[in-house]
């Protein structure tokens, strides 16, 4: 066959490594998937969505408005509700952060926003700093744009800000800082580790971005996709809160996790000059995300149904999180070489095995786990190679999102059986570094 005339961008883009794992989970009967980042279906707010949709469609005037194209930026009323909601969570009025509905864009999931920003900001060879590990799918965006991803280690308080500063010093000394466009952080209950950026690190992050913004602004992309799924402790201030002039921080989140991913509606609050560029690009993509869904969400927020739903959801996910942590203790506590994070929210636990115990996609453990009927995501998908070209190969992402508490417990027991079957248990008695 004569080859397709593909663009450089298409040639740089591969299928997400995680798609295989999602397909596998769907195809294999009886498999317990601790891999998929799907949302718990039993908790979808079906009645609330039906009521809000019916209220629109039963009213011919409202229906005609909602079924027409909307605007590229999104429904003004919903943008106003979002800016109020985000600022209320931070205990400030929008004006205190130089924000209004004009600074908000509604997107087809927050994933679209991540991609649009990539188009707006990155040329091949540019640098983006991520956490190690980071959200797998974002690595795909960076790869498509030809970006060089560099990473900063995490500890139990999230991104290590001292290590970030050391990297910025190094980039400044080598002159490569001219290529650094953005620092990306999933700062609440991170996908994939479940870790949260500690309160005192948040203002420091903004200070560093400002300090090193000499030739151009170094932006911070705060991906708060899991912020509302909080099970313990108080809500922490956003990083955006420390950007009172609305210049450095792009705050993005989504209705996928706290409401339903099928709505595929995300949003971002960002600097005005960047927003204009993003809207031009979004005009080319789709000139506006689903107008009907935006009207439905606006009603859900206005009636209080959304807030009630999120509260209920927290209770249900908390039970699942606890089930996973209890099962890990029950099945792995006698193997001190295995450690795991204790997330205060979100959908993920990150388990670390000893260094010589490979959890990677082509290794024996993942195969044996599949034979036992359990699936996890190999941690290496979340990493980019370090200076020596190395990535950790002994980590796993475990999701408690879709499975029931009983399935979660059984899935973890199966993982332990897979360990035993490989006769690696004795080897796992040595201790190793831990994230939490
Ligand atoms: C950290 C993070 N950001 C963004 C997204 C994108 O979600 P959506 O496009 O459904 O809003 C996800 C989805 O899993 C995520 O985990």
């Amino acid at each position: 066959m004569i080859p397709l005339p593909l663009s450089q961008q298409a040639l740089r883009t591969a299928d997400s490594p995680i798609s295989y794992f999602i397909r596998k989970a769907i195809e294999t009967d009886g498999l317990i998937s601790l891999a998929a980042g799907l949302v718990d279906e039993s908790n979808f707010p079906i009645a609330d969505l039906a009521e809000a949709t019916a209220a629109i469609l039963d009213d011919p005037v409202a229906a005609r408005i909602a079924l027409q194209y909307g605007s590229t930026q999104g429904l003004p009323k919903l943008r106003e509700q979002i800016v109020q909601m985000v600022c209320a969570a931070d205990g400030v009025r929008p004006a205190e952060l130089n924000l209004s509905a004009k600074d908000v864009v509604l997107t087809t999931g927050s994933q679209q926003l991540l991609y649009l920003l990539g188009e707006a900001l990155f040329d091949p060879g540019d640098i983006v700093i991520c956490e190690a590990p980071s959200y797998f799918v974002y690595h795909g965006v960076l790869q498509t744009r030809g970006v060089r991803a560099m990473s900063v280690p995490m500890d139990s308080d999230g991104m290590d800000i001292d290590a970030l500063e050391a990297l910025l010093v190094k980039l400044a000394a080598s002159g490569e800082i001219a290529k650094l466009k953005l620092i990306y952080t999933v700062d609440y209950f991170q996908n994939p580790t479940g870790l949260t950026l500690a309160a005192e690190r948040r203002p420091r992050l903004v200070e560093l971005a400002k300090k090193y913004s000499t030739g151009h602004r170094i932006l911070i992309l705060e991906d708060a996709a899991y912020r509302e799924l909080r099970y313990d402790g108080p809500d922490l201030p956003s990083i955006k809160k420390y950007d009172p002039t609305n210049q450095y921080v792009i705050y993005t989140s989504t209705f996928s996790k706290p409401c339903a991913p099928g709505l595929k509606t995300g949003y971002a609050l960002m600097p005005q000059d960047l927003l204009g560029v993003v809207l031009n690009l979004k005009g080319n993509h789709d000139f506006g995300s689903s107008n009907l869904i935006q009207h439905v969400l606006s009603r859900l927020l206005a009636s209080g149904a959304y807030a009630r739903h999120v509260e209920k959801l927290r209770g249900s996910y908390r039970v699942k999180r606890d089930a996973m942590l209890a099962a890990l203790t029950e099945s792995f506590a006698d193997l001190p070489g295995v450690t795991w994070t204790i997330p205060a929210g979100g959908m993920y636990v990150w388990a670390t095995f000893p260094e010589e115990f490979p959890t990677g996609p082509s290794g024996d453990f993942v195969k044996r786990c599949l034979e036992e009927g359990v699936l996890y995501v190999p941690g290496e998908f979340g990493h980019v190679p370090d200076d020596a070209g190395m990535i950790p190969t002994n980590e796993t992402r475990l999701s408690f999102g879709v499975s029931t508490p009983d399935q979660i417990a059984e899935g973890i027991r199966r993982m332990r059986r897979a360990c035993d079957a490989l006769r690696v248990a004795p080897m796992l008695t040595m201790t190793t570094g831990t994230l939490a």
Side-chain angles (χ1 to χ4, degrees):
M1 252 200 293
I2 300 177
L4 290 168
L6 294 177
S7 68
Q8 289 303 312
Q9 177 161 310
L11 292 170
R12 280 195 298 264
T13 306
D15 186 19
S16 166
I18 214 166
S19 326
Y20 164 81
F21 284 82
I22 293 176
R23 265 200 313 274
K24 199 85 197 161
I26 294 167
E27 281 165 11
T28 317
D29 265 357
L31 187 81
I32 295 177
S33 177
L34 304 179
L38 299 181
V39 172
D40 184 357
E41 290 163 20
S42 66
N43 277 306
F44 286 156
I46 298 172
D48 292 335
L49 286 166
E51 197 182 308
T53 311
I56 295 166
L57 297 181
D58 288 347
D59 171 353
V61 177
R64 283 190 192 109
I65 294 170
L67 292 171
Q68 188 51 275
Y69 279 124
S71 67
T72 307
Q73 190 167 357
L75 186 66
K77 180 162 180 211
L78 182 57
R79 286 190 278 117
E80 178 62 33
Q81 289 166 310
I82 285 170
V83 78
Q84 294 292 346
M85 179 174 78
V86 173
C87 290
D90 277 332
V92 289
R93 284 176 295 106
E96 291 174 65
L97 300 182
N98 200 21
L99 287 169
S100 74
K102 288 204 304 292
D103 306 298
V104 180
V105 58
L106 291 160
T107 49
T108 305
S110 52
Q111 190 63 38
Q112 185 189 36
L113 189 273
L114 300 183
Y115 190 77
L116 285 168
L117 283 177
E119 286 193 334
L121 296 168
F122 311 145
D123 287 314
D126 283 343
I127 298 173
V128 167
I129 296 178
C130 302
E131 290 148 342
S134 182
Y135 172 43
F136 318 118
V137 189
Y138 192 59
H139 288 317
V141 172
L142 298 181
Q143 201 177 39
T144 289
R145 302 298 307 157
V147 167
R148 189 170 144 213
M150 300 185 98
S151 64
V152 168
M154 301 177 82
D155 58 24
S156 53
D157 283 338
M159 185 190 277
D160 178 341
I161 302 292
D162 290 332
L164 171 68
E165 183 156 25
L167 179 58
L168 292 171
V169 168
K170 201 170 121 194
L171 291 174
S174 68
E176 289 171 296
I177 198 110
K179 294 258 176 213
L180 174 62
K181 297 281 180 75
L182 183 130
I183 301 166
Y184 174 66
T185 173
V186 183
D187 56 333
Y188 296 92
F189 326 118
Q190 192 220 31
N191 179 4
T193 61
L195 297 168
T196 293
L197 187 68
E200 64 278 9
R201 293 188 180 185
R202 293 168 177 263
R204 271 195 71 202
L205 190 52
V206 182
E207 280 157 29
L208 283 176
K210 278 188 190 165
K211 180 173 168 190
Y212 286 88
S213 289
T214 47
H216 63 267
R217 240 180 289 163
I218 295 171
L219 296 160
I220 296 168
L221 175 50
E222 176 177 25
D223 184 341
Y226 297 90
R227 182 179 189 180
E228 288 157 283
L229 300 184
R230 176 171 45 83
Y231 318 133
D232 303 324
D235 189 22
L236 295 184
S238 67
I239 301 167
K240 184 76 195 149
K241 187 176 179 182
Y242 300 101
D243 178 29
T245 57
N246 187 22
Q247 284 188 69
Y248 288 90
V249 182
I250 302 137
Y251 177 100
T252 182
S253 192
T254 177
F255 290 103
S256 288
K257 312 293 172 180
C259 198
L263 302 170
K264 205 59 191 167
T265 301
Y267 54 89
L269 286 69
M270 69 173 89
Q272 248 322 295
D273 50 355
L274 179 60
L275 184 83
V277 179
V278 165
L279 290 181
N280 291 344
L281 290 162
K282 186 166 162 61
N284 287 345
H285 276 247
D286 57 15
F287 49 89
S289 299
S290 165
N291 193 26
L292 174 62
I293 297 295
Q294 292 175 22
H295 279 268
V296 170
L297 278 166
S298 176
R299 282 180 186 251
L300 238 52
L301 287 170
S303 70
Y306 178 76
R308 283 193 298 277
H309 170 70
V310 172
E311 202 45 52
K312 202 174 113 210
L313 200 59
R314 281 196 193 120
S316 152
Y317 275 127
R318 186 183 292 116
V319 170
K320 288 169 178 247
R321 187 272 318 257
D322 291 347
M324 180 168 277
L325 293 176
L328 281 163
T329 302
E330 196 185 298
S331 292
F332 285 97
D334 63 324
L335 301 180
V338 185
T339 59
W340 53 91
T341 55
I342 303 192
M347 288 169 26
Y348 309 104
V349 171
W350 186 250
T352 304
F353 290 78
E355 267 173 38
E356 49 287 288
F357 183 70
T359 55
S362 49
D364 288 341
F365 186 51
V366 81
K367 273 194 216 110
R368 189 68 220 189
C369 280
L370 269 173
E371 281 160 26
E372 291 289 342
V374 63
L375 192 63
Y376 64 84
V377 173
E380 52 196 78
F381 295 149
H383 286 280
V384 292
D386 63 15
D387 286 348
M390 304 297 284
I391 52 170
T393 55
N394 56 325
E395 298 162 328
T396 58
R397 188 192 77 175
L398 307 174
S399 167
F400 52 86
V402 265
S403 307
T404 63
D406 284 348
Q407 288 168 332
I408 291 168
E410 174 57 19
I412 299 291
R413 280 194 290 273
R414 291 179 186 180
M415 283 183 76
R416 173 59 198 253
R417 283 206 292 274
C419 271
D420 292 343
L422 292 173
R423 296 180 197 284
V424 290
M427 165 178 127
L428 294 179
T429 53
M430 56 175 293
T431 47
T432 184
T434 169
L435 273 169

